Amino acid sequence: MKEKVKVFQLRDRYAELTVISTVRDRTLVEHELLARGRDHEDWREEHLGGEFEKIRTDQLFQNISTSKSKSGSSSAVDGIPGIGQTTMMQKIVHDWATGKIYQQFQFVFSFKFRDLNTINCRITLRELILDQYPYFGNMLEEVWKNPEGLLFIFDGLDEFKGRIDFADSRRDTEPQHQCPDPEWWCEVSDIVYCLIQHKLLPGCSVLVTTRPTALHLLEKAKISVWAEILGFVGEERKEYFTRYFEDQTVAAAVFKHVKENEILYTMSYNPSYCWILVLTPGPFFTQTHRDPQQVPKTITQLYCYFIYNILKNHGREIENLREVLLRVGQMAFTGVSEKNIVFTDGDLIKYNLQPSQFLSGFLMELLEREDSAQSGVHLPAPHHPRVCSRTRTIHVSSSREYHDTPH
C-alpha cells in the first residue's frame, strides 16, 4: 500500500536564515570551518555581535522606496552550496506576492541561470519573460513604462555557462553586446549584464545569487548591496527541526540527538544538511520497529542510511542496483572533479544510465524546451563531494517552488 504523500506550504516549513550585509574574507570562512560543535556556534555568534551586521531579506533594497534616484539598484547574495539561496529567493517572491515585503515593485521576474543555459540563441528580454511567464501576453508594453516597479531575480550565477565579464569595458561599446531595449535581440549574457548595469530598463532592480566560486565575476559590477547567507545561527537550527516535524516531541528528540553529536551539530548550520538530518535519523524516533540506539551518529552512518532509504523505496524497478549506483557515483565524482553540476542526456548516455524513479532519488530533472532535445539533470555538488568520492552518490535537490506551492 502506497504511503500518502503529505503536502506542505512554503510558509509553514521555511526557517529563517541569518544574512549579513557583507561578504566575508575567505580566511574568516576557513577559520569558521575549523571549529566544531559549540565552538563553531560560539565563533559565529561572536562575530555576528562584532564586525558583521545581520540584515533581513526585506533590507536588500531598503533604500529604493525613499531614494529619489531613478537608476535602480542591483544586489548580490553569496552563499556556499546548500545554504539556502534558491529557497530564500522563493520565499522573497512568496512574501512579495502576499504583500509582506517590497511593495514598491509591481512585478517580480525570477530566473535560474541553469534554466537559461538551455537558451543557445539570441533572444529578446520580452521573449525571455514570455518563455517562463506566458500569461503576460500583450501586457509587457505597459510593464516597460515603469521600470522602477520591476525586480529581476537571477539565481545561481556560478551555474551559468555564458560569459559575463563586468571588467570588460568592450561590452559597453561593441555593437554585438548592446541591449538598449526589451525588444532587442541579444545573447542571454548581454541581457543579464545590461540589466545589472542599468543599461537596459534603467530604474529596474536586480537581485543576483551566486556561490563564492563565481563571486569574482561581480567585482566590477554596479552592485549596491552585498550580502552573504550564513545559514542557521543559534535557535534557527532548532526552528528547522520544529517546523519539519508535526510532533514536537519527535522534533525535540531528533534535535537533542544532533546537538549532542559534535559533528552532526556542526553540519546543522547548513539547511541542505539539516534536510538529511531530519530525513535520516527521524524515522528512528517515529517508527516503533526502529531502535533509537541505532540512530546514525557519524557522517558515514548518516549517508549510508540516506542511500539505504533510496534503495529500499525506489530500488525495486532496477535489476542491478549496485551497477547503477556505481555508474551514478562515477558520473558524480567526475562532475565534482571538473566542477560540473548540471548533466545532460548525453552524460546519462555516456554512463549508461536511464531515467527512472530510482535515479530521481539522486538527480532532479530540469525543464525541457521544445526547441531542444536536452534535459538537464542537476547535481547540487559540492554539498557532500567527499561522500561522492567515497560512496559514489549524489543527493536530491529541492525543486523550484513559488507563491503558495507545496514545500
Side-chain angles (χ1 to χ4, degrees):
M1 183 176 178
K2 255 190 173 181
E3 186 179 350
K4 186 178 179 181
V5 177
K6 295 181 180 179
V7 177
F8 299 93
Q9 300 297 325
L10 174 62
R11 62 174 177 266
D12 297 329
R13 281 292 183 89
Y14 186 82
E16 291 296 332
L17 295 161
T18 291
V19 184
I20 56 175
S21 58
T22 186
V23 176
R24 295 177 299 168
D25 183 82
R26 184 181 296 273
T27 55
L28 280 176
V29 179
E30 291 173 352
H31 289 157
E32 177 191 342
L33 292 176
L34 291 174
R36 288 185 176 183
R38 286 301 311 175
D39 290 338
H40 179 265
E41 181 70 5
D42 293 342
W43 190 96
R44 301 182 119 224
E45 291 182 349
E46 176 186 345
H47 283 78
L48 268 177
E51 66 261 47
F52 300 133
E53 177 189 359
K54 183 177 178 178
I55 62 172
R56 303 185 307 272
T57 53
D58 63 345
Q59 294 177 308
L60 294 172
F61 298 100
Q62 60 178 343
N63 297 322
I64 294 179
S65 56
T66 57
S67 175
K68 296 181 181 180
S69 172
K70 296 293 183 179
S71 63
S73 176
S74 295
S75 301
V77 177
D78 169 52
I80 64 172
I83 206 67
Q85 297 172 60
T86 297
T87 306
M88 178 181 283
M89 296 306 107
Q90 296 165 7
K91 187 63 162 53
I92 286 176
V93 173
H94 176 277
D95 288 349
W96 166 79
T98 53
K100 296 179 180 178
I101 62 174
Y102 295 141
Q103 292 308 287
Q104 67 268 33
F105 299 124
Q106 295 174 323
F107 301 98
V108 175
F109 299 106
S110 182
F111 301 92
K112 291 185 178 180
F113 277 107
R114 65 172 176 256
D115 294 346
L116 299 180
N117 285 335
T118 64
I119 302 174
N120 51 17
C121 59
R122 296 177 77 85
I123 192 172
T124 66
L125 177 59
R126 172 190 174 84
E127 295 301 319
L128 187 65
I129 291 176
L130 292 180
D131 183 62
Q132 296 200 36
Y133 302 93
Y135 44 82
F136 270 86
N138 297 322
M139 295 171 52
L140 288 178
E141 285 74 13
E142 290 298 316
V143 172
W144 307 145
K145 293 179 181 180
N146 182 31
E148 291 80 11
L150 304 180
L151 170 61
F152 291 90
I153 298 176
F154 293 99
D155 182 33
L157 175 62
D158 53 285
E159 297 182 359
F160 189 47
K161 294 183 178 179
R163 181 176 176 272
I164 304 181
D165 186 358
F166 291 92
D168 187 357
S169 59
R170 291 175 299 177
R171 271 190 179 270
D172 299 328
T173 57
E174 294 180 348
Q176 68 268 31
H177 294 305
Q178 299 300 304
C179 193
D181 65 67
E183 310 292 336
W184 199 271
W185 292 88
C186 316
E187 298 292 339
V188 172
S189 59
D190 293 326
I191 293 176
V192 175
Y193 174 89
C194 290
L195 284 171
I196 293 176
Q197 298 297 81
H198 313 301
K199 298 179 181 298
L200 174 59
L201 294 176
C204 75
S205 295
V206 182
L207 177 56
V208 183
T209 74
T210 182
R211 294 176 180 176
T213 52
L215 193 62
H216 65 282
L217 298 175
L218 296 171
E219 288 180 355
K220 299 296 182 180
K222 293 182 179 179
I223 302 295
S224 303
V225 177
W226 296 88
E228 180 183 350
I229 303 175
L230 294 188
F232 297 137
V233 176
E235 288 298 305
E236 293 168 349
R237 303 186 191 222
K238 185 177 181 180
E239 182 188 2
Y240 186 96
F241 292 80
T242 301
R243 286 181 173 272
Y244 184 88
F245 293 103
E246 293 178 325
D247 187 335
Q248 292 306 297
T249 303
V250 174
V254 176
F255 182 70
K256 180 175 181 291
H257 169 74
V258 171
K259 192 171 184 179
E260 291 175 348
N261 186 300
E262 185 178 66
I263 298 297
L264 300 186
Y265 189 66
T266 304
M267 293 170 61
S268 68
Y269 81 93
N270 188 307
S272 178
Y273 292 131
C274 269
W275 178 75
I276 297 177
L277 287 170
V278 296
L279 193 67
T280 306
F284 287 89
F285 297 90
T286 58
Q287 298 175 2
T288 55
H289 67 279
R290 295 286 188 102
D291 182 4
Q293 298 299 319
Q294 300 298 319
V295 63
K297 296 180 177 63
T298 67
I299 295 178
T300 301
Q301 292 173 348
L302 187 74
Y303 285 123
C304 283
Y305 274 107
F306 178 74
I307 296 173
Y308 168 78
N309 286 332
I310 295 177
L311 295 176
K312 179 182 177 182
N313 294 313
H314 303 296
R316 299 170 188 169
E317 60 184 280
I318 305 296
E319 291 184 7
N320 194 330
L321 285 173
R322 184 176 184 278
E323 286 301 316
V324 173
L325 191 59
L326 287 175
R327 288 199 294 269
V328 171
Q330 186 181 3
M331 185 175 72
F333 181 78
T334 303
V336 170
S337 302
E338 298 176 356
K339 298 182 179 180
N340 177 38
I341 57 176
V342 179
F343 300 100
T344 65
D345 283 345
D347 294 314
L348 294 180
I349 294 172
K350 178 181 177 181
Y351 291 94
N352 195 24
L353 293 168
Q354 296 294 328
S356 65
Q357 189 176 7
F358 170 71
L359 200 60
S360 69
F362 300 94
L363 302 166
M364 184 193 75
E365 187 174 4
L366 303 181
L367 84 167
E368 292 186 15
R369 301 178 57 84
E370 293 180 1
D371 57 347
S372 174
Q374 294 184 342
S375 60
V377 183
H378 175 57
L379 161 66
H383 287 183
H384 43 270
R386 301 309 175 197
V387 175
C388 287
S389 64
R390 294 292 181 265
T391 66
R392 301 292 197 267
T393 184
I394 41 184
H395 90 259
V396 71
S397 169
S398 44
S399 59
R400 177 175 58 189
E401 296 151 24
Y402 288 103
H403 172 45
D404 271 354
T405 51
H407 182 71

